[in-house]
Structures are given as structure tokens and as C-alpha cells.
Amino acid sequence: MQFCARELGAIALSIGIIPSCAAATDPASAYPDRQITLVIGFPPGGGADALGRLFARHMATELGRNIVMDYRPGAAGNLGAKSVARSNPDGYTLYLAGRPNTIHKAMYPQLEYDFSQDLVPVGLVATMPYVMVVGKDAPISSIQDVIALARAYPGAPTCASAGVGTSDHLLCAMFQQETGTDIAHIPYRGSAPALADVMGGRVDMFFAPLPAALPHIVAGKLRAVAVISRVRASALPHTPTIAESGYPALALDAWYGLMAPAGTPSEVVGRLNRSLASVLGTQEMQDALTQLAYIPPPPDTSEAFGALIAQETERWTEILRRRNFLPTHDGKAADAPGAKP
């Protein structure tokens, strides 16, 4: 069969048009073309809020689209994670995840979602240490003072947390097990109200995220007793670590990372990861994170972040099992034996 020049031109044109039309209708190729929502699992005013706002501002500039914050507090951030897991997997609803999400099956078995299956990793955002803080007028200057007080008055000292199942709650309970003490656990809805009550003298101590506590320490409203790390924090060079105080098993940093709903196109996840890597690579972001007492990670892949999540899930599930932590029921605390709700 022979074709005339006009017919051959029409065929060539149609062949060229078909893939370009397919590309034009591919949503991943145009991503992002509208506003993005970043869900935070804690109330405004805490460390997650400050970190989320910082990355939302910088990534919005890099992506060319506005990123708005949506606060969904509850169940140590897992209510927010569940809402994102149920959202449309198009890359326009993201979640700022942390360690409490990896242990939700152990601490919140009643929640009908699976963090490791219903969400996909985008990238690691930052790590941070915790710090034990007390009120400025508290008769506590060292870990040894805390232990002496708790042993003299079993069950009387109080320890705040940002909620049941949060890392600070686990640190409070683990501290009691490591030191053989009995300290009452007082859960709050986020770190901001917990810090307010420690500053006001209504609660004795708090294993607080350093970025959230640092401004109050600098202002003289809180006293830093120990950094919960093996290495001293550059922001608090004169504050000893928990390892120096004799309890290296409690030296546990925290992390935050971006997640998207499972089923999000890999091209969209890749675009978000490249945006995250781009902003993390700037000196401006490095300086901003350091100033807020976060530790900026080197840019990495979503697969590497996924491997970290798998390691954290296995590690902390085993810690909870070994230390006999009990799951929560109806939002009530369920601590290890010796700790009070």
C-alpha cells in the first residue's frame, strides 16, 4: 500500500500528537498545580508546628505553590496521620511524621489505619534531642536531684508529656524503670501546654523537645537539667547529657519526616523528595534549623527514609514489649508498671 505525502504527514502528525496529549493529561507531570496541605498531628505552638511552618515556607517557594497547615491533634499525632492516610493520593495532602507514628499499633490498637502500609515516605526532615526541664524555682539541678526527690516521695513528683504514646511520655516511663523511681505521668495535648504548666510550677518536670523548650530556657523561665543525648547540644553547651549523668540507655534523639498517602504516584513522591533535598541543601535552611535546635540531615532518598522507619518500628516495638508498656484504651494512659497515669 502506498500513501501520498499528505497522508504520510497526517500519520506522522497524529503519532506525534498522541504521546504529547497523554503527557498533558498525566497529573504527575503537572504537579503541583494547586495549593498543598501539610497536616500536623499536634496543636499549634509546639516543636512540630515550628518545624512544619519552616519547611512549608521554603518548599512552597521551591515548588511554586502555597503550602497551608492543618492541625489534627490527638493520639500522639496518629489522628492526623490517619486523616492523611484516608485522603486522596495525589500529593496535595502531606503529613509531618515522627516516632510516635511507628508504634501506633502497640499504643493505639483501636485506630483503624496502618502507618507503614497506608502512608509512603517522602524524606527525612530533621532530627532533634530532648531535654529534661524543670521550673526556674524548682529545687532540682541535676538528674541525681530528681532521683532523690522521687525516692523520698514515691508517686508525688509529676512528669508532663505532650500526650500518651509520645516520645516524651516513653522517656518519662523509661526513666522510672532505669532509676527505680515512681513519678506520676501528666499527659497534655501538645508540648506548649505542658511547658506552660512546668513554667507555672504546676508540674515538676518534662522531657521536652529541645526546639520547643529552648526559648524558655534562654529566657530564664525553665532550667535545663540534662540533654537526653550522648552528645551535648550546641545550644546548651554547659548542660550535661543523660549519658554523662549515668543513664546512656535513655540517650534517644527524635526525628521528623514527610509522608504522603499510599498510592501517590512515584513521580509526585520523587518531585517532593527533590524539593525537600533542595531546601535542605541551602545554607539558609541549615542555619534556620540549627538556630531552632534541630539537626539538619543530609539530603537523602525516600527509600532511605523508609528504611529508617522500618528500623524505628522494629526497635521501638521491641522496647515497648520488653518494658511491658500497655496499649491505651479510649485515650487513657497505660504506662508500664510503676508509672502512674
Side-chain angles (χ1 to χ4, degrees):
M1 181 182 293
Q2 295 183 348
F3 296 95
C4 67
R6 181 180 298 175
E7 290 170 328
L8 288 171
I11 293 170
L13 184 60
S14 67
I15 292 172
I17 288 174
I18 290 171
S20 65
C21 289
T25 58
D26 179 9
S29 66
Y31 179 86
D33 62 6
R34 63 180 187 273
Q35 179 175 277
I36 298 169
T37 297
L38 177 60
V39 173
I40 306 295
F42 293 92
D49 179 29
L51 186 65
R53 287 182 179 277
L54 177 65
F55 273 87
R57 184 170 68 252
H58 284 264
M59 288 185 68
T61 299
E62 200 281 335
L63 290 167
R65 296 293 174 181
N66 192 32
I67 300 179
V68 298
M69 312 288 281
D70 182 9
Y71 302 95
R72 303 282 183 101
N78 283 291
L79 293 185
K82 179 181 176 180
S83 73
V84 175
R86 299 291 182 264
S87 66
N88 194 17
D90 54 10
Y92 291 96
T93 305
L94 307 176
Y95 177 66
L96 186 63
R99 178 179 294 127
N101 300 122
T102 68
I103 56 172
H104 75 90
K105 287 185 178 180
M107 296 300 295
Y108 292 94
Q110 70 273 22
L111 290 181
E112 296 179 354
Y113 97 107
D114 187 328
F115 179 73
S116 63
Q117 298 295 322
D118 297 340
L119 295 161
V120 294
V122 172
L124 181 65
V125 167
T127 61
M128 69 172 186
Y130 282 83
V131 58
M132 178 190 276
V133 293
V134 297
K136 62 182 180 64
D137 298 321
I140 296 171
S141 299
S142 67
I143 291 295
Q144 287 68 34
D145 289 342
V146 175
I147 296 171
L149 182 67
R151 288 177 177 170
Y153 304 97
T158 51
C159 180
S161 82
V164 175
T166 57
S167 293
D168 32 278
H169 167 214
L170 300 182
L171 283 169
C172 179
M174 290 171 65
F175 177 82
Q176 295 173 70
Q177 292 186 328
E178 288 289 319
T179 60
T181 55
D182 185 2
I183 299 172
H185 170 227
I186 311 296
Y188 290 80
R189 289 177 63 84
S191 60
L195 286 167
D197 272 8
V198 176
M199 287 186 283
R202 292 175 287 276
V203 182
D204 294 315
M205 69 197 77
F206 181 23
F207 287 88
L210 180 55
L214 185 60
H216 306 297
I217 297 170
V218 173
K221 298 178 181 179
L222 290 173
R223 180 184 304 134
V225 176
V227 176
I228 313 305
S229 178
R230 294 181 180 274
V231 180
R232 292 199 179 196
S234 59
L236 298 173
H238 303 298
T239 301
T241 68
I242 194 74
E244 291 176 66
S245 303
Y247 298 95
L250 296 176
L252 303 167
D253 290 344
W255 53 265
Y256 286 105
L258 284 182
M259 307 288 290
T264 301
S266 59
E267 296 85 358
V268 171
V269 173
R271 176 68 182 95
L272 287 166
N273 179 267
R274 291 192 297 275
S275 176
L276 177 60
S278 178
V279 300
L280 277 171
T282 66
Q283 191 62 49
E284 182 181 2
M285 177 59 84
Q286 299 270 325
D287 293 343
L289 287 170
T290 301
Q291 185 175 4
L292 290 173
Y294 287 100
I295 302 170
D300 213 336
T301 64
S302 57
E303 290 80 10
F305 182 41
L308 171 65
I309 291 172
Q311 293 168 3
E312 283 278 287
T313 302
E314 181 178 357
R315 177 189 185 193
W316 279 89
T317 299
E318 174 59 20
I319 287 174
L320 295 183
R321 185 199 63 79
R322 190 171 65 247
R323 294 178 179 270
N324 198 29
F325 276 84
L326 304 177
T328 65
H329 298 283
D330 300 324
K332 296 180 180 179
D335 289 324
K340 294 186 177 183

